Amino acid sequence: MKASNIIIALLACGITASVAYLAALKTGIIYKYPEPFYLSANDEAKRPVYQQLDSNEKAVYASLLKGMQKQEEEIPLPYEISGYMYEKLYCLLEKQESDMFFLDSSYYTADKFRKATVIYRKKDYDYGKEINSLSEVRKNVSDNLPQGDDYEKAMYIHDYIVNNCRYLEESDDTIYESTAYGCLVEGVANCEGYAKAFDLLASDAGLQSILVTGTTNDGKNHAWNQVNVNGNWYNIDVTWDDKEDGEIRWIYFLCDDDSFSRTHFKEVHYFTPFQCSENKDNFYVRSGLYAESAEQAKDIFLDKVEKGEKSVRLRFPDSYTYSDFKANYIDSQAIFGLIFSKDDTKTRNISISLTENVEEHCMTIELL
């Protein structure tokens, strides 16, 4: 065979092979696996949990995130990974990427993965309408954020969620109860939905936030957040601060580990939650309602009453200080002597209502 004929034959074989390869790619017989890539520095800065991953995990996380955001059912991975790594990364994505409300919490398992088969809440469904609805809420919150510091932004987001969502009831018909969409658009969510909503809005506001799972002091599974406010990490549980008798509570707003760990026990599995050792931006501390002694609590109470306030919140560092104030001023009724003299007839027309949270060493005194 002449050399020219050999070259033509080789070219023909090459073209045939290329056509066959492209056809195989198109039909899904073979996959074109992506080169490893990573989130941008800006995107990584918004994801404290992603920062804890090693290089290979970050590349797989980025590939999964890119495919999931497009609701792709088959996502090729840059490496072959173990079933444990896939489970870890899938669970982190499902919990920490709070905008992906369409991602199902269930996932396939195998010993090894080179491509992921992803389950979404609705199969072959266009989530465009839901995504737009959630985007509108996010924009509304962002547009109305106060211009103050991180504390004021976190407070606004906390109060917005409490005012616009209620806890899930058995009669509620929804598939989004554990998502930010359920909380912010449908107005119904469980604790995970509350936590994802806070995480999403906090990230929009430029605050670093993560979702934390664990158990409560009564043994129930629970979800809450940690958020970085003014350079320090704090615990926050929006679910437990939801309205009681029509009023927002801030008992679980920006707490340190010492107080929060009495009722919340963090799960340390796929990542390590942050240590929260500061309390200067805790609601009670920042509002001047934290009393380290019964005498200080008395002074705080008097100051608020003299300013015309009818409801005074107090928090104590421990059960001893809490009980000391309660015994000496509430149970003994000496609190009335703090307001009026014993001979003042107005005392006959005054009563108080006491709301207690003994576990958290908090009380609210209302003048009636």
Side-chain angles (χ1 to χ4, degrees):
M1 182 180 292
K2 293 182 179 180
S4 59
N5 291 337
I6 294 174
I7 293 172
I8 292 171
L10 289 173
L11 287 172
C13 289
I15 293 171
T16 301
S18 297
V19 171
Y21 175 73
L22 291 173
L25 280 176
K26 186 175 182 180
T27 58
I29 296 173
I30 63 173
Y31 285 88
K32 184 179 181 181
Y33 294 105
E35 291 295 321
F37 69 94
Y38 305 91
L39 300 184
S40 68
N42 183 55
D43 285 338
E44 179 167 344
K46 298 176 182 178
R47 294 170 167 84
V49 172
Y50 178 82
Q51 296 170 29
Q52 296 187 20
L53 303 178
D54 65 31
S55 179
N56 286 357
E57 290 173 334
K58 285 182 176 180
V60 176
Y61 188 105
S63 290
L64 287 170
L65 177 60
K66 181 180 179 181
M68 289 172 175
Q69 287 174 332
K70 299 176 182 178
Q71 293 106 58
E72 294 177 356
E73 294 186 2
E74 301 286 338
I75 304 174
L77 306 177
Y79 312 109
E80 182 177 77
I81 62 172
S82 68
Y84 173 79
M85 182 189 288
Y86 180 74
E87 176 184 315
K88 171 184 176 178
L89 297 178
Y90 190 97
C91 290
L92 290 179
L93 283 154
E94 195 271 327
K95 292 289 187 289
Q96 304 300 329
E97 299 295 335
S98 298
D99 59 333
M100 294 200 301
F101 62 89
F102 40 77
L103 184 63
D104 199 271
S105 59
S106 57
Y107 53 89
Y108 292 105
T109 59
D111 291 335
K112 295 184 181 297
F113 285 87
R114 189 62 205 266
K115 67 180 178 68
T117 301
V118 183
I119 304 172
Y120 298 97
R121 292 181 183 273
K122 293 182 180 180
K123 186 174 177 61
D124 300 325
Y125 181 77
D126 182 359
Y127 289 94
K129 181 179 178 181
E130 287 86 348
I131 291 172
N132 288 337
S133 295
L134 182 58
S135 296
E136 288 177 8
V137 176
R138 294 170 67 179
K139 184 178 185 304
N140 177 56
V141 173
S142 295
D143 288 347
N144 288 282
L145 277 174
Q147 297 302 309
D149 65 356
D150 291 349
Y151 175 93
E152 293 179 16
K153 293 175 182 177
M155 174 71 79
Y156 180 84
I157 293 167
H158 169 280
D159 292 358
Y160 179 89
I161 293 171
V162 170
N163 283 323
N164 290 278
C165 184
R166 63 173 175 80
Y167 196 81
L168 180 75
E169 298 176 358
E170 289 186 8
S171 59
D172 290 320
D173 182 19
T174 177
I175 63 170
Y176 297 115
E177 69 276 3
S178 62
T179 71
Y181 178 87
C183 181
L184 298 174
V185 178
E186 295 184 335
V188 175
N190 59 21
C191 59
E192 187 171 323
Y194 275 77
K196 285 179 177 176
F198 181 87
D199 181 68
L200 182 61
L201 297 180
S203 180
D204 288 345
L207 304 177
Q208 284 190 316
S209 170
I210 64 172
L211 185 148
V212 180
T213 57
T215 57
T216 61
N217 54 326
D218 59 0
K220 294 181 180 179
N221 293 329
H222 193 45
W224 59 92
N225 298 94
Q226 289 185 332
V227 61
N228 192 305
V229 168
N230 297 326
N232 296 298
W233 282 96
Y234 294 90
N235 300 291
I236 179 170
D237 188 342
V238 184
T239 307
W240 280 17
D241 270 349
D242 205 345
K243 294 180 180 180
E244 284 195 349
D245 299 326
E247 188 171 354
I248 302 175
R249 306 187 303 173
W250 294 279
I251 294 175
Y252 302 97
F253 181 76
L254 305 186
C255 299
D256 61 15
D257 286 337
D258 285 345
S259 61
F260 205 73
S261 61
R262 287 194 291 266
T263 52
H264 295 67
F265 307 103
K266 294 179 285 191
E267 179 183 57
V268 181
H269 190 30
Y270 296 129
F271 73 98
T272 303
F274 292 93
Q275 289 188 339
C276 304
S277 57
E278 185 58 72
N279 75 344
K280 64 182 179 181
D281 276 322
N282 171 264
F283 167 76
Y284 286 86
V285 174
R286 181 148 166 165
S287 302
L289 302 172
Y290 187 78
E292 295 187 349
S293 67
E295 184 72 15
Q296 186 179 8
K298 179 202 73 173
D299 292 340
I300 293 171
F301 175 78
L302 278 176
D303 178 65
K304 298 298 181 183
V305 170
E306 288 172 0
K307 291 178 179 177
E309 297 186 21
K310 299 296 185 182
S311 179
V312 181
R313 303 170 189 268
L314 294 169
R315 186 166 198 158
F316 302 85
D318 50 51
S319 58
Y320 173 80
T321 311
Y322 178 96
S323 299
D324 187 28
F325 176 80
K326 185 172 183 290
N328 286 293
Y329 292 99
I330 305 296
D331 297 341
S332 69
Q333 299 191 20
I335 192 168
F336 294 107
L338 300 178
I339 307 171
F340 303 107
S341 68
K342 292 182 180 180
D343 296 328
D344 196 321
T345 57
K346 290 182 181 179
T347 55
R348 300 172 187 172
N349 300 320
I350 291 290
S351 61
I352 66 168
S353 171
L354 180 67
T355 303
E356 299 183 81
N357 186 318
V358 179
E359 287 179 328
E360 298 298 342
H361 312 142
C362 297
M363 66 172 63
T364 300
I365 306 168
E366 293 187 74
L367 303 184
L368 305 175

